[in-house]
């Protein structure tokens, strides 16, 4: 007997999120290693990226052009549960940050918001030399203008990769920069090198686990 499926069931099937393959990374800092897990899903023309590292969870909502629309960060050690959303050129920041309640609005600097540049820089700079964008620094929730610059091919962890450097803009560029590495074929993120702290802080290295 031939089965029939109600139209509503078919609609439900096509509206369900499509899950991409989970990607695992290892972060190495000062002799210690921490696992990082990326999980992506796409639904209703949105990209949903979940990033877990230790007791910290980041949730990103992006549009089809990879522009961030919403970012939520939850960290038990720092007593943080914060959500930032962008609407009409203004950021709404609501929640708890380092144990203190916060609710405020910040005006965009006029650049595209890419909160997790590792996710999409490989694609953004496929045919470009530089991309300017803005993002929030996670440790103080300050908004910064940034620039990502393609640096050509370089070996990372023994394999060929596309290197992209990220730095602050203007005179601040001399104070901090870091490097991201991407698979030349898939343009997916495969590694990172940078100092995430004051001068003298050990370098952080992130590698994809295959």
């Amino acid at each position: 007997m031939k089965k029939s499926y109600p139209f509503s069931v078919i609609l439900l099937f096509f509206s369900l999120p499509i899950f991409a393959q989970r990607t695992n990374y290892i972060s190495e800092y000062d002799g210690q290693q921490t696992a990082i897990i990326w999980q992506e899903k796409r639904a209703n023309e949105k990209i949903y990226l979940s990033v877990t590292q230790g007791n910290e969870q980041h949730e990103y909502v992006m549009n089809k052009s990879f522009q961030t629309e919403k970012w939520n960060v939850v960290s038990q050690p720092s007593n943080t549960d914060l959500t930032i959303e962008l609407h009409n050129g203004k950021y709404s920041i609501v929640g708890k940050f380092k144990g203190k309640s916060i609710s405020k609005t910040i005006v965009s600097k006029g650049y595209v918001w890419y909160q997790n540049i590792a996710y999409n820089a490989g694609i953004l700079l496929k045919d470009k030399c530089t991309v300017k964008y803005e993002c929030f620094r996670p440790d103080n929730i300050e908004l910064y203008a940034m620039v990502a610059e393609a640096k050509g091919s370089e070996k990372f962890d023994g394999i060929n990769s596309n290197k992209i450097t990220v730095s602050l803009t203007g005179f601040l560029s001399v104070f901090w920069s870091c490097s991201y590495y991407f698979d030349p074929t898939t343009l997916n993120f495969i590694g990172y090198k940078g100092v995430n702290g004051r001068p003298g802080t050990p370098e952080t290295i992130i590698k994809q686990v295959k």
Side-chain angles (χ1 to χ4, degrees), residues 117-138:
I117 195 65
Y119 178 77
N120 58 323
I123 297 174
L124 289 175
L125 289 165
K126 179 182 179 181
D127 301 311
K128 297 180 181 179
C129 294
T130 60
V131 169
K132 288 187 176 181
Y133 68 100
E134 61 190 40
C135 70
F136 288 88
R137 182 170 161 173

Side-chain angles (χ1 to χ4, degrees), residues 38-57:
W38 283 22
Q39 288 183 299
E40 173 197 355
K41 63 183 179 182
R42 297 175 182 242
N44 303 319
E45 299 187 341
K46 301 291 184 183
I47 302 169
Y48 300 86
L49 177 66
S50 172
V51 178
T52 303
Q53 181 174 1
N55 293 320
E56 190 165 295
Q57 178 94 17

Side-chain angles (χ1 to χ4, degrees), residues 63-107:
N63 62 22
K64 293 189 297 183
S65 299
F66 307 109
Q67 299 174 13
T68 308
E69 296 180 348
K70 182 179 180 180
W71 172 45
N72 171 252
V73 54
V74 177
S75 173
Q76 294 179 359
S78 65
N79 194 11
T80 294
D81 188 346
L82 193 69
T83 299
I84 302 179
E85 293 187 73
L86 178 63
H87 297 286
N88 299 320
K90 294 183 179 180
Y91 293 97
S92 170
I93 305 174
V94 178
K96 184 181 291 186
F97 180 64
K98 295 183 179 179
K100 296 182 179 180
S101 296
I102 182 172
S103 179
K104 64 180 181 179
T105 300
I106 293 178
V107 177

Side-chain angles (χ1 to χ4, degrees), residues 166-205:
V166 168
S167 64
L168 297 165
T169 58
F171 73 93
L172 294 174
S173 63
V174 300
F175 295 104
W176 180 84
S177 67
C178 63
S179 300
Y180 292 83
Y181 301 86
F182 299 85
D183 184 292
T185 302
T186 65
L187 304 180
N188 291 335
F189 172 63
I190 60 171
Y192 167 91
K193 289 182 180 180
V195 175
N196 302 326
R198 297 177 179 178
T201 302
E203 184 179 52
T204 295
I205 299 175

